[in-house]
Amino acid sequence: MIAQTREAWRVMETFHPPTYYIPPAAFADGALRSVPGSSMCEWKGSAAYFDIDAGGKTANRAAWCYPRPTQAFRPIADFVSVYAEPMDECRVDGEIVTPQPGNFYGGWVTSWVTGPIKGAPGTTHW
């Protein structure tokens, strides 16, 4: 197990399934390795990225955080979100999640998420 918590933030964006931001302390020691590079979210600010190392495998740039988010997102500062697709398994309340379609977004789809969901072909510029 890479991380487990009941203290995550769930961030909702239009036409996206939830993205979960997990406290850094919830991750196993050595699971997160900071890597160069960043991206910009118009709502949250500049993101920093991590490789995830576990079980002899590395998932490159599979996690991110906002070290200095915009004022509205200050509560998620330094909390880490994980792309579900490169993981063996991610769960919310015991349910295995499906990654949000596409290779850009980090939402986690569960049975209680209804669509349409941004990320599938033809949905990237709504």
Side-chain angles (χ1 to χ4, degrees):
M1 184 172 307
I2 296 168
Q4 184 173 1
T5 189
R6 293 210 170 266
E7 304 299 320
W9 285 97
R10 182 178 70 175
V11 175
M12 307 288 289
E13 296 183 41
T14 304
F15 297 113
H16 291 261
T19 303
Y20 293 88
Y21 288 85
I22 301 166
F27 286 83
D29 288 341
L32 297 174
R33 185 168 28 94
S34 183
V35 295
S38 65
S39 65
M40 179 61 86
C41 170
E42 64 184 303
W43 306 111
K44 294 181 278 308
S46 182
Y49 286 85
F50 303 92
D51 287 350
I52 297 179
D53 295 316
K57 299 182 202 176
T58 298
N60 295 315
R61 293 177 60 91
W64 72 96
C65 75
Y66 292 94
R68 290 171 299 285
T70 60
Q71 182 68 31
F73 288 91
R74 296 272 164 155
I76 67 166
D78 294 321
F79 276 48
V80 178
S81 193
V82 174
Y83 288 108
E85 191 277 325
M87 300 297 107
D88 290 340
E89 181 178 280
C90 296
R91 292 177 177 259
V92 175
D93 289 337
E95 181 178 339
I96 297 173
V97 305
T98 300
Q100 181 173 3
N103 61 358
F104 179 76
Y105 304 106
W108 291 13
V109 182
T110 57
S111 61
W112 55 86
V113 173
T114 59
I117 296 173
K118 191 174 185 179
T123 67
T124 55
H125 296 291
W126 291 358

